[in-house]
């Protein structure tokens, strides 16, 4: 069983900053990748940023230079530092991990419950 606990969402004025955190726990062998996605009302869920176990990162063009993803030393936590926030960043932000139950097993995706980020103008 895998659990993800997200924290750090909230209300902030445009130009402000927020830091999201996601902690994974449970019975898994490894986490191959961790990332953040977001879904605004009436829009599809989209990738915000991701990081694999080699440290390679991927960012949506809309957040490059403003957001930064990092993983904790234990590799079971992921953070999203969001600076220079804009009203269009308003969305529910979801943590997702790609994990393996055993070293030889397939990898699976698991989603968190989501945390609301609201940026006022």
């Amino acid at each position: 069983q895998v659990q993800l606990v997200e924290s750090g969402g909230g209300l902030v004025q445009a130009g402000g900053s927020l830091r999201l955190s996601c902690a994974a726990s449970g019975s898994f062998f490894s986490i191959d990748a961790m990332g953040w996605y977001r879904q605004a009302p009436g829009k599809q869920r989209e990738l915000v940023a991701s990081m694999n176990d080699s440290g390679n990162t991927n960012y949506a063009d809309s957040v490059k230079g403003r957001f930064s993803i990092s993983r904790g030393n234990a590799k079971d936590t992921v953070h999203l530092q969001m600076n220079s926030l804009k009203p269009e960043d308003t969305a529910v932000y979801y943590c997702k991990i790609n994990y393996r139950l055993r070293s030889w097993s397939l990898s699976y995706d698991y989603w968190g419950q989501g945390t609301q980020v609201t940026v006022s103008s």
Side-chain angles (χ1 to χ4, degrees):
Q1 186 114 13
V2 177
Q3 288 187 324
L4 295 178
V5 177
E6 299 155 324
S7 61
L11 173 63
V12 65
Q13 288 190 329
S17 298
L18 283 174
R19 179 177 169 88
L20 304 183
S21 295
C22 174
S25 62
S27 302
F28 49 82
F29 173 77
S30 66
I31 299 176
D32 293 348
M34 303 184 82
W36 290 93
Y37 291 70
R38 67 186 180 187
Q39 187 166 18
K43 295 189 177 181
Q44 289 190 329
R45 192 173 298 188
E46 63 176 359
L47 171 71
V48 177
S50 65
M51 176 181 280
N52 64 16
D53 57 359
S54 297
N56 298 313
T57 59
N58 188 28
Y59 292 94
D61 288 341
S62 60
V63 307
K64 284 180 181 177
R66 300 188 298 123
F67 291 12
S68 177
I69 190 169
S70 61
R71 289 180 70 171
N73 290 334
K75 305 296 183 184
D76 58 357
T77 59
V78 64
H79 309 286
L80 184 69
Q81 179 66 42
M82 305 186 293
N83 299 326
S84 303
L85 282 160
K86 305 175 181 180
E88 50 263 43
D89 294 317
T90 295
V92 178
Y93 284 69
Y94 296 90
C95 175
K96 190 190 85 168
I97 66 169
N98 183 261
Y99 72 99
R100 296 177 190 272
L101 291 173
R102 300 288 185 269
S103 61
W104 60 85
S105 67
L106 297 174
S107 60
Y108 299 93
D109 290 339
Y110 192 85
W111 293 87
Q113 298 278 5
T115 184
Q116 178 71 45
V117 171
T118 302
V119 185
S120 63
S121 57

